[in-house]
Amino acid sequence: MALSLPLPKPQQQQQQQQQQQQTTTTTDGEIQEIDIFHQFDVVSDSSDHHYLVNNIVDNENDSSSKKTKDGGGDSLTNISSGVYKKIMQEWKILEKHLPDSIYVRAHENRIDLLRAVIIGVAGTPYHDGLYFFDIAFPPDYPARPPLVYYRSFGLRINPNLYANGRVCLSLLNTWPGRKSEKWNSSESTVLQVLVSIQALVLNEKPYYNEPGNGVLPGRAIWEKKSNAYSENVFLLSCKTMLFLLRRPPKNFEGFVASHFREKASVILSACNAYINGQTRVGYYRNDGSCSSGNSSTVDVSDKFKGLMGQLYPELLLGFKRNGASLGHFVEPSVQPVEMKTRSFKGKAVIQSKKSGFARTVFAKLKRVLGLKKVNKSGKSGVKKKGF
């Protein structure tokens, strides 16, 4: 069942303040109200939260959630319990210290639940994307770290973020690490978790997050693999954008729509720059420059060009439906990709849609093997050798 709790006075005051709207004066002298999406806020609807049911089951099965040393009662509903007080401290830390690119929503009826969104940072293949995480405090928090679930839409965009939503991070005790990197109940916070995900997971070269990658000699080979991985990450990130526009998480509907209306032109310009080899994937900047500092044309895989060419029209349509003004953007012209197959007599055989070329190749093959066409009498056309 849901945990309905009265908000402490500081949160009540904060909620009232954040519900207020700012005003601005238009060129016509009219006053318009602008909804402000605050970085931290308290909301009521938690119906689509991943841990809405799971965390209740865990709490009911955990005897530590029934009675506490500091007054007894459920640790998540008893305002005098250490768990309740610690969660309130977490709220205050998030309210005061969130970076500009992270937004969090707490729930007044379920203080054990949080939802966070991280905006992808420029200079990474995650730039301008939105990445949502559902968070739950265990009943013995902070003895155990929070549970964190990535809303992946079935896509694996990082070695540390699984398609099933699992987040592998030493700070969450979901990945091996030194003692100093693991959860410390007296020092670690949710803010540290979110900043770590942004800085260490959603980084410039996520390929190297996989243990073993880049360890052996051969820097050029590793970098080539890293670039290919980043290309795929950007493609999956763009697909995630489309999923979010279709099914935005609750309490973030307006934020998602507004973000992609504002960033649509930048995202599409980046897609064009990557397809045309103007810069490596991830290095496009909002001003049209390249953060890699390389002005010459770079190699972009044919696979990426083809897949991006297919995805681009969907992005363009999705952004337009969302209200973005994109009149000057058109679909890029991407040439069909020719795929090489096994070589024959030292020459590469190229697949082509033209059947005439294929017939020529097979005709040569038949001549080498000593085969002829079946004649009109129905007799085999195989040459007899030695008779």
Side-chain angles (χ1 to χ4, degrees):
M1 64 181 197
L3 305 176
S4 298
L5 302 173
L7 289 176
K9 289 185 178 180
Q11 276 70 35
Q12 287 178 334
Q13 295 172 357
Q14 174 200 12
Q15 191 175 22
Q16 293 171 359
Q17 292 172 356
Q18 292 178 339
Q19 287 174 346
Q20 295 176 353
Q21 295 178 314
Q22 290 188 2
T23 61
T24 182
T25 304
T26 66
T27 55
D28 299 331
E30 297 180 356
I31 296 178
Q32 287 184 338
E33 290 184 341
I34 302 175
D35 291 324
I36 302 299
F37 194 87
H38 295 268
Q39 285 191 269
F40 181 85
D41 203 352
V42 182
V43 296
S44 58
D45 190 354
S46 57
S47 59
D48 70 334
H49 199 285
H50 178 74
Y51 293 109
L52 180 66
V53 176
N54 295 346
N55 210 39
I56 290 178
V57 174
D58 291 342
N59 292 350
E60 291 177 348
N61 293 336
D62 195 324
S63 59
S64 65
S65 67
K66 298 297 183 182
K67 297 290 181 180
T68 58
K69 295 180 180 179
D70 46 9
D74 194 318
S75 60
L76 293 172
T77 57
N78 182 2
I79 61 176
S80 64
S81 73
V83 176
Y84 188 98
K85 292 178 180 178
K86 178 61 177 177
I87 292 176
M88 292 300 104
Q89 289 178 2
E90 292 280 5
W91 284 19
K92 292 179 181 179
I93 293 173
L94 292 169
E95 180 187 0
K96 294 180 179 179
H97 302 294
L98 278 172
D100 293 340
S101 52
I102 301 178
Y103 293 77
V104 175
R105 290 295 175 265
H107 297 85
E108 61 182 349
N109 63 332
R110 288 291 301 274
I111 68 162
D112 57 320
L113 305 181
L114 296 173
R115 172 166 290 164
V117 60
I118 298 176
I119 302 175
V121 178
T124 74
Y126 305 98
H127 69 82
D128 301 306
L130 297 178
Y131 308 94
F132 282 87
F133 298 85
D134 285 357
I135 303 167
F137 295 106
D140 56 349
Y141 187 78
R144 285 185 293 161
L147 304 173
V148 181
Y149 171 84
Y150 169 58
R151 299 179 71 90
S152 69
F153 297 99
L155 305 175
R156 189 174 183 183
I157 63 168
N158 190 283
N160 298 76
L161 302 177
Y162 285 68
N164 64 1
R166 176 178 171 84
V167 178
C168 287
L169 195 66
S170 299
L171 187 56
L172 295 174
N173 294 347
T174 54
W175 187 257
R178 295 188 294 269
K179 185 177 181 180
S180 60
E181 298 172 341
K182 288 184 168 292
W183 181 261
N184 185 327
S185 59
S186 61
E187 297 179 359
S188 302
T189 65
V190 172
L191 178 63
Q192 289 178 330
V193 171
L194 294 174
V195 172
S196 295
I197 292 174
Q198 183 180 55
L200 303 179
V201 177
L202 304 174
N203 59 29
E204 178 185 359
K205 298 181 179 181
Y207 175 76
Y208 295 110
N209 285 16
E210 187 69 47
N213 287 353
V215 175
L216 299 176
R219 179 178 176 83
I221 297 176
W222 290 117
E223 280 297 294
K224 185 176 181 179
K225 291 183 177 181
S226 175
N227 292 335
Y229 189 87
S230 292
E231 289 176 356
N232 188 55
V233 164
F234 183 74
L235 285 165
L236 296 179
S237 181
C238 289
K239 290 183 179 180
T240 301
M241 297 176 192
L242 292 174
F243 281 122
L244 287 171
L245 285 170
R246 295 167 190 162
R247 291 189 300 163
K250 287 188 180 298
N251 305 303
F252 285 86
E253 296 91 341
F255 176 80
V256 170
S258 176
H259 173 81
F260 287 122
R261 273 197 299 270
E262 178 185 346
K263 297 295 183 179
S265 61
V266 173
I267 295 168
L268 293 176
S269 296
C271 292
N272 281 316
Y274 299 150
I275 290 175
N276 296 326
Q278 295 174 7
T279 183
R280 293 201 183 281
V281 171
Y283 292 108
Y284 183 85
R285 285 181 171 174
N286 293 2
D287 59 2
S289 63
C290 305
S291 58
S292 60
N294 187 356
S295 58
S296 60
T297 302
V298 298
D299 291 330
V300 181
S301 71
D302 288 338
K303 178 182 177 181
F304 174 80
K305 291 179 181 178
L307 293 175
M308 191 74 254
Q310 296 172 15
L311 185 60
Y312 186 95
E314 295 184 47
L315 278 175
L316 182 60
L317 180 59
F319 290 152
K320 284 185 175 180
R321 286 177 174 173
N322 186 50
S325 179
L326 301 168
H328 59 291
F329 282 93
V330 295
E331 296 181 16
S333 56
V334 181
Q335 297 297 326
V337 180
E338 292 184 335
M339 302 298 294
K340 289 186 177 181
T341 61
R342 291 185 301 174
S343 61
F344 176 70
K345 274 199 167 184
K347 296 181 180 179
V349 178
I350 307 298
Q351 294 178 344
S352 174
K353 293 183 179 179
K354 295 182 179 179
S355 58
F357 178 77
R359 284 198 299 268
T360 302
V361 173
F362 283 115
K364 291 181 179 179
L365 180 61
K366 288 181 179 179
R367 284 199 296 272
V368 172
L369 298 177
L371 300 176
K372 290 183 178 179
K373 293 182 180 180
V374 177
N375 56 34
K376 293 182 181 179
S377 64
K379 296 181 180 181
S380 171
V382 180
K383 291 183 178 180
K384 294 182 180 179
K385 296 182 180 180
F387 291 93

